[in-house]
Amino acid sequence: TATGPSGGTAAGSPHALKEITLNAYKVATNEYLNYEEEEDSLLVIMPIVRDAMIRRLARSVDRAYLLGGGSGTDPVKGIALYDASSAVTPAVGTAASIANLRALRKDLGAWGLDPAELVYVVSTEVYYDLLDDTSFQTMNQVGPQATLLTGQVGQIGNSPVLVSAEFASKGTGTIGALAFAPGNFMAGNQRGLRMDTQELVETQRRVLVASLRTGMTQVTTNLGQGVSKFSWGTLS
């Protein structure tokens, strides 16, 4: 108001800075490998075990980001938890459709206005339902090789569709799909993947430990949560 026109009546509006705290949590897995397992095997066991541990960590992080409980032994709050009430609840006995996912976009409000800033993550069952929907654009129609490069299996209204095997099977109350704006969520790794190996001479085995520290949080709620889910309703 001090720099406004003489006699102006506009009220001042201070600019408030917001502080966002992003906590990183450790996820770790370990395997024990007896000396005899390596000595008696025709194959090199160590790389196989190491690859399995890395996949296990990757799936744990995926599940945490999507469905994490946000407390206790499941400390990362998953995207699904930010939508407290599901606005889209198709009956269990029906097939998921393009209309269901478009309803999720509508439920996002302002966050759903730009389809390029929206991502769908669907369960395997919903993905197969979409394949039966003739209006669903699979990657052979909208972009070859994208499945190999990004995990994208299709798109709806210029929004990418990803599939995850971390959702529970179709049933009353289980989640079938998520629509969210990645710009409203911040993820970070305090420490990347680390592999440690130690010889346990007394027990004649080797222990392998894989670990990382990661976390995710929401940026703002000014325009809503930035995420919408659909949960299966009662049996039709």
Side-chain angles (χ1 to χ4, degrees), residues 63-132:
R63 181 172 180 81
Y65 279 10
L66 290 174
L67 306 169
S71 63
T73 58
D74 191 12
V76 177
K77 185 176 180 179
I79 292 172
L81 215 60
Y82 286 95
D83 184 14
S85 59
S86 179
V88 184
T89 55
V92 174
T94 62
S97 65
I98 300 293
N100 295 143
L101 299 191
R102 284 177 176 162
L104 291 180
R105 178 183 170 188
K106 180 180 179 180
D107 187 49
L108 285 172
W111 285 112
L113 292 177
D114 187 351
E117 296 181 357
L118 178 67
V119 173
Y120 295 102
V121 183
V122 303
S123 68
T124 55
E125 292 170 313
V126 170
Y127 169 58
Y128 288 120
D129 286 344
L130 292 176
L131 289 180
D132 292 330

Side-chain angles (χ1 to χ4, degrees), residues 15 21 37 84-85 145 155-156 164 169 202 219:
H15 183 82
T21 301
E37 290 184 73
S85 59
Q145 292 187 323
Q155 71 177 30
I156 298 174
S164 171
S169 298
E202 182 181 3
V219 176

